[in-house]
DNA sequence: TATGGTACTAACAAAATTGTAAGTAATGGG
DNA sequence: CCCATTACTTACAATTTTGTTAGTACCATA
């Protein structure tokens, strides 16, 4: 993983900020590069490791594994291993991560507005 | 700032993901280490640079400047310079970032639930 | 002339995240 | 025995973010 240093200023700052501000805490939990995308993929049901990889262009097996591990640790996905060969592993959302689904759509709406604004701004600058 | 490379896999991935998924886009905009905290501070009105620094323990002048510059570029704060000596600069939320305020509280509520869950989990493991 | 206050910048260093490339294990089928 | 399949690991390197320290500009005031 590239282990984090327990007592770096960086780590301590993050910890303090997460304790000080709940919305920062939430954003930290879903803030990894690919996490949101993974969660969105799982919105409609279980998927296997390989399916996730195929559905998320650009992600490597390593990053997929890392992000899934963190999501699992944070109880945002659950991992179901079938004792078969070749291996089969499925991932699915947990109750707590399902509670986030409506928030995603609100964030999505905000994004659309923001993008509009950026476009407007570009036009104004051009004129 | 430590300039980003335009064409690194890293940059391109981020760009693609933001285009592919609107909620990722939103989270990117508010995902910097101190951004959320800064925005929260500004929730109740304008603040000067020095006030922000005092109100946010642990932040350095450099980080405060960097994060404010990005927020400004993304139109999430506006910067008001008074031509005085010593200088006076005030920051305030913009209409588009004010639209985020209700989302913060929802994220905050989710954080509280998640923290509860983590505590429960710790207890179960201990037993 | 020296000092203080304010909002920054610049050069550098450390830390953290992300990406690349090459493996591993287990077993059924040819 | 060799290969294919699947879900991973491992070692390393590049990139990005964050932190440290020491400046800068400006003018009023002592």
């Amino acid at each position: 993983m590239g282990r984090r240093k327990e007592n770096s200023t960086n780590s301590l700052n993050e910890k303090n900020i997460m304790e000080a501000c709940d919305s920062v805490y939430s954003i930290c939990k879903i803030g990894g590069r690919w996490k949101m995308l993974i969660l969105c993929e799982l919105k409609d049901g279980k998927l296997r490791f390989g399916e996730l990889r195929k559905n998320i262009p650009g992600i490597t097996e390593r990053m997929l594994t890392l992000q899934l591990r963190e999501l699992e640790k944070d109880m945002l996905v659950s991992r179901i291993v079938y004792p078969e060969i070749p291996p089969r592993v499925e991932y699915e959302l947990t109750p707590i991560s399902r509670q986030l689904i409506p928030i995603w759509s609100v964030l999505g709406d905000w994004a659309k507005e923001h993008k509009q604004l950026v476009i407007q701004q570009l036009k104004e600058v051009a004129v």
Side-chain angles (χ1 to χ4, degrees), chain A:
Chain A
M1 218 176 281
R3 211 102 214 113
R4 293 194 81 177
K5 296 214 168 168
E6 278 289 305
N7 281 31
S8 60
T9 308
N10 190 317
S11 275
L12 296 178
N13 276 343
E14 185 182 59
K15 201 159 147 272
N16 292 336
I17 295 174
M18 290 205 340
E19 274 168 27
C21 180
D22 277 339
S23 37
V24 171
Y25 176 96
S26 295
I27 286 189
C28 283
K29 295 298 172 193
I30 54 177
R33 167 73 101 241
W34 305 93
K35 282 184 185 173
M36 198 72 169
L37 234 47
I38 294 171
L39 293 173
C40 288
E41 281 296 322
L42 293 174
K43 200 178 47 175
D44 302 320
K46 298 179 202 170
L47 285 179
R48 296 180 61 170
F49 183 86
E51 292 173 319
L52 282 170
R53 180 165 40 92
K54 266 170 250 157
N55 294 356
I56 301 176
I59 199 167
T60 61
E61 299 197 334
R62 175 181 146 75
M63 283 313 294
L64 182 51
T65 304
L66 281 176
Q67 302 275 289
L68 282 169
R69 289 289 178 282
E70 279 184 30
L71 288 169
E72 198 193 351
K73 179 172 66 63
D74 288 330
M75 297 186 284
L76 300 183
V77 304
S78 49
R79 182 167 178 263
I80 307 148
V81 183
Y82 298 85
E84 301 172 2
I85 295 288
R88 181 155 68 102
V89 180
E90 289 182 342
Y91 293 90
E92 68 176 341
L93 297 187
T94 60
I96 189 79
S97 60
R98 261 185 228 113
Q99 286 187 38
L100 281 174
I101 296 177
I103 301 184
W104 300 340
S105 72
V106 179
L107 285 172
D109 293 344
W110 185 84
K112 288 189 192 79
E113 289 207 45
H114 189 269
K115 286 177 182 181
Q116 275 306 312
L117 206 69
V118 172
I119 290 170
Q120 271 180 34
Q121 193 68 16
L122 284 178
K123 281 184 194 161
E124 283 177 31
V125 171
V127 173

